[in-house]
Amino acid sequence: VIAQTVVLCEGATTDRLMAEVCLHTGLRRTEVCNLKLTDVETMPLDQLDPVSELPVVIVGKGNKARNVPFPVWLLGAINLYVNTARVIAMAKRQSLMSEPDHGYVFVHHVGNARYIGSRVSEQTFDRHFAQGRERFLMKLAKLENNAYYRMAVAEAITVHALRHTFAIIKYISRRLSGDTQPSKYVASILGHASVETTENIYLNSAVTYESKIRERIRMLNEQRPHMQLGQPRAHPGTSVHLGEAQ
C-alpha cells in the first residue's frame, strides 16, 4: 500500500513501475510482461480524476480476455515511461539491429547491448524484484528499531504477493462500499473461473486483517494518494537516468 504520494521522475525504473502495475491491478507477472502499447496508449487521460479508473482489456490464462480497471494515475505513469525511457531504449536497440518495434511496454534499459529494448521476461522481473527486496531489508536492518526488519524478513515478499495484496484490499474496499458479493468482483478482475479459487487462495487472510486494512483504506482515501507525473530530466548523452528499483 502506498503510504504517501509517489513521484515518478528520473529515479523511477521499469522494475518499480511493473511492481506498481501488479499491486494496483492484480495482474499476473506474465500479464504485466506481456502488456502491449496498444493496450494502454489510446486512452484519453486529460481532465480525469487521477484516482478514478479506466478498463484495460487483458488476455490471460487460457487466452481469455477480461476488463481490468487501471487507476488513471498509473496509466499516466505508464505513458510517461513509454514516451521517455522506453523511447531511448528502443532507439538504442534499433541502432544495433534493424527490426520493427515488438510493441511490449516494459523493456530492458541496461546490460548486454543485444538485450537493450527487448521485452522484460518473467524470470528477469522476479530476479529484479528479489534484489529490490534484499536492498529494502538491508535498509531496515540498519534502523535502531529492528521490529520492521523482523516483520519484513518473515514475510514472503514476492511479485505474486502483490497480486494477493491487491485482492485483499479490493475485496475489503468493495465491502466498505456496500457490495454484498465482493468475491465475485475480485474474481472477475483476477481472471478466476471460480469464485471459490478467489476465496480459498486469495481472501483467506481478509477476515484476519480486515480491521487494520479498513482503517488503512480510510486514511488512503482521505489522502487521495497517486503517482505525480514529474518529467524525467534528460542527462547529457541522450539518456534519461534510471535509478535502482525501490
Side-chain angles (χ1 to χ4, degrees), residues 34-240:
N34 285 341
L35 201 62
K36 301 296 285 286
L37 297 176
T38 51
D39 297 329
V40 296
E41 273 193 325
T42 59
M43 298 183 177
L45 305 179
D46 294 344
Q47 309 303 317
L48 294 180
D49 185 339
V51 294
S52 63
E53 296 175 327
L54 290 174
V56 174
V57 178
I58 299 296
V59 178
K61 283 186 176 180
N63 205 33
K64 294 180 180 179
R66 69 187 190 277
N67 285 325
V68 176
F70 272 56
V72 168
W73 66 261
L74 183 58
L75 289 170
I78 293 171
N79 286 341
L80 177 61
Y81 165 82
V82 166
N83 292 316
T84 53
R86 188 185 185 281
V87 168
I88 294 170
M90 294 309 297
K92 290 180 180 178
R93 181 176 181 81
Q94 291 172 359
S95 69
L96 296 172
M97 54 190 76
S98 179
E99 60 181 33
D101 191 324
H102 48 63
Y104 291 107
V105 170
F106 297 112
V107 300
H108 287 279
H109 297 269
V110 295
N112 191 308
R114 69 175 184 169
Y115 294 121
I116 293 179
S118 63
R119 168 187 175 273
V120 176
S121 69
E122 293 84 347
Q123 294 75 18
T124 298
F125 186 16
D126 277 342
R127 185 173 68 254
H128 289 182
F129 190 89
Q131 291 169 350
R133 175 183 183 271
E134 292 307 310
R135 289 193 294 270
F136 175 65
L137 290 176
M138 288 176 62
K139 290 181 179 179
L140 289 182
K142 295 177 182 179
L143 299 177
E144 289 187 16
N145 183 351
N146 65 357
Y148 289 117
Y149 172 78
R150 293 197 304 272
M151 291 171 58
V153 79
E155 295 293 331
I157 306 175
T158 63
V159 171
H160 196 69
L162 300 177
R163 180 170 158 90
H164 283 260
T165 301
F166 166 84
I168 293 172
I169 292 176
K170 183 61 70 174
Y171 172 82
I172 294 175
S173 296
R174 296 289 295 189
R175 284 191 58 182
L176 289 174
S177 66
D179 188 346
T180 58
Q181 294 182 309
S183 297
K184 286 188 175 181
Y185 179 80
V186 174
S188 68
I189 294 178
L190 296 180
H192 290 160
S194 169
V195 175
E196 284 72 23
T197 300
T198 309
E199 293 176 339
N200 294 336
I201 299 178
Y202 289 84
L203 302 180
N204 56 6
S205 302
V207 175
T208 304
Y209 298 107
E210 181 165 359
S211 61
K212 292 182 179 180
I213 296 175
R214 275 175 176 261
E215 179 62 16
R216 192 61 177 157
I217 290 172
R218 183 191 65 78
M219 293 173 62
L220 289 173
N221 286 338
E222 289 180 356
Q223 296 171 9
R224 294 173 61 80
H226 62 277
M227 187 175 283
Q228 294 181 345
L229 304 182
Q231 288 296 329
R233 291 183 299 179
H235 290 262
T238 70
S239 66
V240 174

